[in-house]
Amino acid sequence: MNCNLSDNQKSIKIMLVGEGGQGVQTIAKLLAKAAFAKDYHTSYIPNFGTEQRGGISIAFLQVACEEIVSPKFVDPNVFIILSSRDINRTLRYITKNTTVIYDKYLVKKEIVEKLKKQSPTVVGVDAFELATEKLSERSLNILILGILIGFVDCTLIEKITEIMDKKFQKYYDKKPELKKLNHEALTLGLNLTTA
Amino acid sequence: MPQKENRQFLQGNVVAAHAALAAGATHFYGYPITPSSEILETWVNLVGDPAKPNKSPVTKEPLQYLQCEDEMTSGFAMIGSCLAGKKAFTTTAGPGNILMQDAFSAAEALRIPTVALIMQRGGLSTSTVIYSQEEVTLTCLGGNGEGFRVVYSPHNIQELYDYTIKAFNTAWKYRYPTFVLGDGYQGKMHGEVNLHTMDPKSYVKPKPILLSNKGKNKKSVNLRNCYDQEEEIYEIIEKYRKDFARDSKKIAESESLFLDDAESVIISHGIVSTAAKEAVGRLRKHGQKIGFWRPITLRPIDLPGLLKAVKGKKEIIYIESALGQLSRLINDELMSSNDNRVRNVRIKTMFKPALGISPRDITDFISKNVS
Amino acid sequence: MSARRRPPKNKSSQKNSASNSVLPSFPKCYKKNSKPHKFCPGCGHPIVLKMLGQAIDELKIQNKSVFLIDIGCSLLAWDFYNIDTTQTHHGRTIPVALGFKRANPEAVVIAYLGDGGAYSIGMQHLVHATLRNENITTIVVNNMNYGMTGGQMAPTTITEQPPTTTAPFGRKEKYLGTPLKGPEMLEKIGVPGQYIARMSVDVPPQLKLTLKKALQHQMDKKGFSFVEALSYCPNNWKTNAAETIATLQKAKQEFPTYEKEL
């Protein structure tokens, strides 16, 4: 197996925090499937409330070079947050070693202050703004997926594109411009992390 | 022995449905409830168009399903199909599990080999759709019965697949209602699994319980579920008790690690035991003499395995996503021992009802609470 | 409630009764060593069961029938026939029956239950079995009260009958609701082709004919068939023979004879 996780890590634990409808679970699943296809050991747990839309939505994702014993964790390497909702529920997961990425538009200032108390590495990104200005609001999750790839293994982008295109083919059939939007979003996101 | 390899990355509920297929199940009855609904949905897809359904890879009979009006129907229709000699199963969670206990009690009373896949959601009552280990008591001892049931508690997706296959064979071999007790994490998570085919040697062929004998001068089977006198039902229960004690020796399973030099032993089950396993590995690296034991069957408990794990140890530490539903089952067994080396073991508990438990939660707890 | 049993007949007299036909003979599908049956004197169940037994004999389906019964007085028939039997409760007999039928379509599957199981605690099963047109035969014995639990009000209790223990002033509909009419309700939701009937126990030959039609309907794979047998419960009604018949006559106003192939 070709282990090529960023920063020579043996495993990466990612927590994605958003709200229902943002596509948090979709991108976690896409990334997990691509990593598995590239022979990584992978596990993904979705975690959401009773609402189909709008409630807090969390994904626990692990990509590793060795077998994953326990799928649940409280010490993510990467914590990505796209919503100000229910923050107290997820703050406890951030450790001093966690890299926290928040969206500058979607996450309120007072929340960012709370995040900064948990970890020295808290980085704001203009994902929502970039997505809405250059692409469309609905590209936000794919852009975030691009960011995520940077944290896991940049070479996954081809596999992810392949799986993503297959998954969204029926939407592409109706709206052909969507495919280009998705590809651009992915690259835009990836560029944000590598920059 | 695992047969043909077929490694995939799938959702737990999808895996459970594929396991039922590989086990030779043909009939499914269910009612949607989170976090178990994808088992129903996956089985529906496996059946295909009901007008020309796909066939079981094991029995070559057409597959069937019914989305019922409620959980009582799911449970009792499953009983009906099992009485007719088909491997039928159902799935549920939480409040649905409560309703279905009606049918499970009947299956227990009539010794009907049913299989139910339970994905525990948060208690109490409606609560969350996410996760807990709070349906242990209900699944093991629910209904107005005595718990003559087999309950497997798999700890990862591969085991969810393997023990679901095993559940069908155990149910039909010993004629007990049999359960695979998963949880919302296991049901909803994606993980790696080898969807191997069933070892044909392990396959237990189903036989009709009613209409089994179509001969001309047949004697009818009047399968009784009501009794006039307390002595009558007492005799039946006594017989079941003896049967269950005898069969338990063959059914009960557990897993242990690092027991030889361990001073403390962590006892957990299901997905929590994966966190415990990883935590024990980390603690061992720091020289902590800690061991690991988990029941794979919650009903019956592997008593010899348990006694071996506990005897002479300083303490046991129960770790559960419930307020002691597992520990009550185990303590009960320990109290039945006359050996002081078992009875004098100290007990510590880390109970996080309805909350997921990670390896770090456990190592933090151990370093604070265990010397 | 106690079943008052007649002293068991000795073997030779039973043999005689069967051979010389002085006494009415048992249907062939009866389980003889379970007789005398366990029902109260004057109960309507044995009439329904005897007519069902004759129907089964005439259709020659004893060896391919499954007789599924419910909690309540129907469970006293758990070993009534030399036919494979089991029993559950609360109307779940209908799910057991449809589960059996779906697994063994060649079997003739009979769900036999009371008005409490079918019309109250297990009503959803009856409704959805009808909607799905399950190919089973459901027989509901309506004796307008809960017999085995001691004569409480049932969904079918009518104002004109003797008071029940939980409606001691009679069923005042303003306070206690309106009696449920099974066949009339099913007609509203039924699927074309279904056989739905009501017959009372005071006309046994017609009752037998109705039961036979319902079973034949299932054997012809024509879908759900349903018979309500309007019955009596003198033990709980606390009526003598004449009063029992009079009450049944009043009940027939409320629950008239009914037969429809939808």
Side-chain angles (χ1 to χ4, degrees):
Chain A
M1 167 188 164
N2 190 12
C3 190
N4 193 26
L5 290 180
S6 66
D7 298 335
N8 292 321
Q9 297 174 94
K10 278 195 178 148
S11 85
I12 294 178
K13 292 177 237 171
I14 298 164
M15 222 175 127
L16 266 164
V17 181
E19 45 193 73
Q22 280 181 333
V24 164
Q25 307 300 343
T26 308
I27 58 170
K29 214 190 293 179
L30 274 173
L31 182 58
K33 280 187 174 167
F36 177 79
K38 285 293 212 177
D39 281 339
Y40 284 111
H41 292 285
T42 317
S43 94
Y44 149 65
I45 309 181
N47 201 311
F48 42 78
T50 38
E51 307 96 323
Q52 286 279 325
R53 291 282 180 274
I56 185 169
S57 179
I58 307 168
F60 294 88
L61 181 66
Q62 284 188 73
V63 180
C65 305
E66 50 208 20
E67 203 177 324
I68 297 163
V69 180
S70 171
K72 182 78 198 281
F73 52 83
V74 287
D75 43 3
N77 306 94
V78 183
F79 182 100
I80 298 190
I81 178 162
L82 304 176
S83 165
S84 297
R85 211 180 264 265
D86 274 351
I87 185 69
N88 292 333
R89 230 163 270 305
T90 48
L91 267 185
R92 72 179 187 104
Y93 289 94
I94 302 172
T95 74
K96 289 192 174 61
N97 302 319
T98 306
T99 302
V100 179
I101 310 283
Y102 69 92
D103 183 272
K104 283 187 188 163
Y105 177 82
L106 295 170
V107 180
K108 290 181 194 150
K109 282 218 174 72
E110 63 263 33
I111 306 283
V112 177
E113 291 313 308
K114 284 186 178 179
L115 296 170
K116 283 181 175 163
K117 277 186 194 147
Q118 301 293 114
S119 166
T121 326
V122 177
V123 184
V125 290
D126 288 319
F128 183 81
E129 216 174 283
L130 268 174
T132 40
E133 272 178 20
K134 296 201 174 174
L135 311 162
S136 93
E137 198 178 315
R138 295 190 56 97
S139 305
L140 172 69
N141 64 335
I142 303 299
L143 198 144
I144 298 291
L145 179 59
I147 295 179
L148 269 175
I149 297 172
F151 279 100
V152 179
D153 172 354
C154 295
T155 64
L156 285 177
I157 189 154
E158 281 171 32
K159 196 78 207 172
I160 285 186
T161 310
E162 179 192 322
I163 295 175
M164 177 179 76
D165 286 349
K166 207 170 143 195
K167 182 179 167 65
F168 293 129
Q169 190 57 52
K170 58 178 178 212
Y171 300 104
Y172 295 171
D173 289 344
K174 278 186 223 152
K175 261 180 143 184
E177 69 274 18
L178 212 59
K179 186 170 179 176
K180 196 168 152 260
L181 277 177
N182 274 347
H183 288 201
E184 277 175 22
L186 211 54
T187 324
L188 214 54
L190 184 59
N191 289 343
L192 273 180
T193 23
T194 44
Chain B
M1 191 190 74
Q3 303 288 294
K4 211 174 103 200
E5 288 271 324
N6 179 9
R7 197 170 161 270
Q8 295 196 43
F9 182 70
L10 292 171
Q11 195 199 46
N13 283 331
V14 174
V15 167
H18 279 275
L21 183 75
T26 50
H27 290 64
F28 179 91
Y29 299 91
Y31 186 86
I33 185 164
T34 315
S36 72
S37 305
E38 292 88 353
I39 303 178
L40 164 64
E41 289 170 350
T42 306
W43 184 265
V44 168
N45 283 323
L46 289 171
V47 173
D49 182 352
K52 37 179 190 226
N54 295 319
K55 290 192 169 129
S56 159
V58 180
T59 70
K60 313 295 174 206
E61 294 164 304
L63 301 173
Q64 291 194 31
Y65 82 92
L66 180 65
Q67 180 177 331
C68 301
E69 60 270 20
D70 59 30
E71 283 85 351
M72 281 86 78
T73 309
S74 305
F76 280 100
M78 164 178 70
I79 287 176
S81 290
C82 291
L83 285 169
K86 301 295 174 195
K87 286 194 175 176
F89 73 111
T90 186
T91 174
T92 190
N97 193 1
I98 296 174
L99 291 179
M100 232 184 254
Q101 291 301 324
D102 190 4
F104 299 147
S105 284
E108 198 177 316
L110 299 167
R111 294 285 298 269
I112 296 169
T114 55
V115 172
L117 314 178
I118 312 289
M119 293 296 161
Q120 300 168 90
R121 49 190 265 159
L124 325 167
S125 191
T126 308
S127 192
T128 76
V129 296
I130 303 171
Y131 161 83
S132 83
Q133 294 190 314
E134 295 178 286
E135 294 172 48
V136 169
T137 308
L138 183 64
T139 307
C140 291
L141 301 165
N144 54 345
E146 298 287 358
F148 300 123
R149 309 159 166 212
V150 178
V151 180
Y152 290 107
S153 174
H155 81 334
N156 61 23
I157 290 199
Q158 187 63 52
E159 278 200 0
L160 179 62
Y161 184 77
D162 295 341
Y163 281 103
T164 298
I165 293 180
K166 194 167 199 174
F168 282 93
N169 292 321
T170 303
W172 283 89
K173 187 166 181 188
Y174 301 100
R175 272 184 71 165
Y176 296 111
T178 301
F179 300 81
V180 180
L181 184 65
D183 58 61
Y185 282 160
Q186 289 186 44
K188 288 283 190 181
M189 72 175 275
H190 280 63
E192 300 170 23
V193 62
N194 173 13
L195 296 186
H196 56 77
T197 53
M198 178 177 54
D199 179 359
K201 275 186 276 179
S202 67
Y203 180 60
V204 181
K205 212 176 158 199
K207 288 189 196 112
I209 294 167
L210 298 184
L211 288 192
S212 56
N213 170 12
K214 289 183 187 161
K216 243 191 168 177
N217 298 315
K218 71 161 207 164
K219 243 184 100 189
S220 63
V221 178
N222 299 125
L223 200 56
R224 193 174 181 186
N225 193 23
C226 82
Y227 295 89
D228 298 325
Q229 302 298 326
E230 51 194 74
E231 289 80 4
E232 278 183 301
I233 187 61
Y234 173 75
E235 269 171 41
I236 300 280
I237 296 170
E238 266 300 288
K239 185 193 173 301
Y240 285 5
R241 184 184 64 76
K242 286 178 190 152
D243 288 355
F244 196 70
R246 179 198 62 213
D247 298 336
S248 290
K249 294 189 183 107
K250 289 178 197 148
I251 297 169
E253 284 182 52
S254 65
E255 186 194 0
S256 60
L257 284 170
F258 311 115
L259 288 182
D260 290 346
D261 66 340
E263 291 170 356
S264 316
V265 177
I266 291 179
I267 297 182
S268 57
H269 77 101
I271 198 163
V272 174
S273 64
T274 61
K277 212 180 239 184
E278 202 171 312
V280 167
R282 289 186 203 171
L283 292 163
R284 280 259 152 194
K285 277 186 193 154
H286 292 96
Q288 200 140 6
K289 289 190 170 162
I290 197 149
F292 167 96
W293 187 81
R294 72 166 175 122
I296 295 173
T297 48
L298 302 181
R299 278 303 286 180
I301 291 285
D302 173 18
L303 191 55
L306 170 66
L307 293 178
K308 207 175 140 213
V310 170
K311 199 188 285 182
K313 301 288 186 281
K314 248 174 34 193
E315 62 196 346
I316 50 179
I317 303 131
Y318 289 115
I319 302 181
E320 297 180 47
S321 295
L323 266 184
Q325 300 202 14
L326 171 72
S327 76
R328 278 199 288 275
L329 288 176
I330 308 271
N331 287 342
D332 236 31
E333 300 285 347
L334 295 180
M335 290 308 280
S336 68
S337 168
N338 295 321
D339 192 332
N340 278 340
R341 285 175 302 166
V342 171
R343 295 179 67 114
N344 291 344
V345 174
R346 234 181 328 159
I347 290 171
K348 281 183 180 156
T349 59
M350 175 183 164
F351 295 153
K352 304 266 184 197
L355 201 61
I357 296 175
S358 74
R360 217 185 77 173
D361 294 328
I362 297 175
T363 51
D364 286 354
F365 178 86
I366 299 290
S367 55
K368 264 184 225 150
N369 296 286
V370 177
S371 53
Chain C
M1 189 205 83
S2 66
R4 285 163 228 163
R5 293 171 197 202
R6 280 173 276 166
K9 292 170 190 166
N10 64 40
K11 264 189 179 167
S12 60
S13 74
Q14 215 171 55
K15 225 179 215 170
N16 284 343
S17 68
S19 55
N20 61 23
S21 301
V22 174
L23 292 168
S25 63
F26 282 161
K28 255 173 41 201
C29 61
Y30 267 26
K31 190 170 189 173
K32 295 195 175 57
N33 60 13
S34 70
K35 305 295 172 297
H37 62 67
K38 306 170 184 80
F39 295 93
C40 304
C43 175
H45 271 285
I47 301 171
V48 187
L49 291 166
K50 186 167 188 177
M51 292 307 107
L52 179 63
Q54 288 183 5
I56 287 170
D57 281 359
E58 287 170 24
L59 293 167
K60 298 189 174 63
I61 53 172
Q62 179 185 358
N63 288 345
K64 60 182 219 172
S65 292
V66 182
F67 183 59
L68 302 167
I69 52 181
D70 211 64
I71 204 168
C73 293
S74 79
L75 68 74
L76 297 174
W78 70 272
D79 62 348
F80 198 91
Y81 300 116
N82 189 17
I83 287 175
D84 283 9
T85 310
T86 195
Q87 172 254 319
T88 59
H89 46 236
H90 298 171
R92 320 298 177 227
T93 300
I94 292 172
V96 174
L98 66 92
F100 197 97
K101 185 74 182 189
R102 281 164 177 263
N104 182 351
E106 296 313 310
V108 178
V109 184
I110 303 159
Y112 182 91
L113 54 169
D115 43 278
Y119 295 156
S120 187
I121 196 167
M123 163 78 95
Q124 71 273 42
H125 308 311
L126 177 61
V127 166
H128 288 271
T130 307
L131 291 170
R132 288 193 301 263
N133 204 13
E134 301 282 353
N135 195 26
I136 57 171
T137 300
T138 298
I139 301 165
V140 174
V141 178
N142 170 13
N143 59 12
M144 308 187 304
N145 76 153
Y146 286 177
M148 188 164 265
T149 46
Q152 292 83 4
M153 188 183 81
T156 46
T157 294
I158 56 170
T159 315
E160 295 78 10
Q161 81 187 62
T164 55
T165 62
T166 51
F169 303 100
R171 183 172 197 163
K172 296 185 175 176
E173 292 189 15
K174 186 180 169 191
Y175 303 100
L176 301 171
T178 308
L180 189 122
K181 318 269 170 74
E184 290 81 354
M185 177 189 73
L186 295 184
E187 183 190 327
K188 299 276 185 222
I189 60 166
V191 176
Q194 284 175 346
Y195 179 77
I196 294 175
R198 179 191 290 120
M199 198 51 73
S200 65
V201 292
D202 61 344
V203 282
Q206 284 94 319
L207 177 61
K208 181 180 85 181
L209 200 67
T210 311
L211 292 168
K212 209 172 152 181
K213 278 189 199 167
L215 292 171
Q216 188 63 54
H217 189 87
Q218 180 186 165
M219 291 158 68
D220 295 343
K221 301 190 189 329
K222 285 160 82 176
F224 194 67
S225 51
F226 178 88
V227 178
E228 178 186 300
L230 183 62
S231 185
Y232 34 60
C233 182
N235 194 51
N236 281 307
W237 291 358
K238 300 183 176 56
T239 45
N240 63 26
E243 290 161 352
T244 304
I245 297 297
T247 306
L248 187 72
Q249 291 310 322
K250 275 187 252 170
K252 282 166 102 169
Q253 308 289 315
E254 219 31 75
F255 303 112
T257 298
Y258 179 105
E259 188 182 28
K260 254 183 198 167
E261 197 150 334
L262 294 185

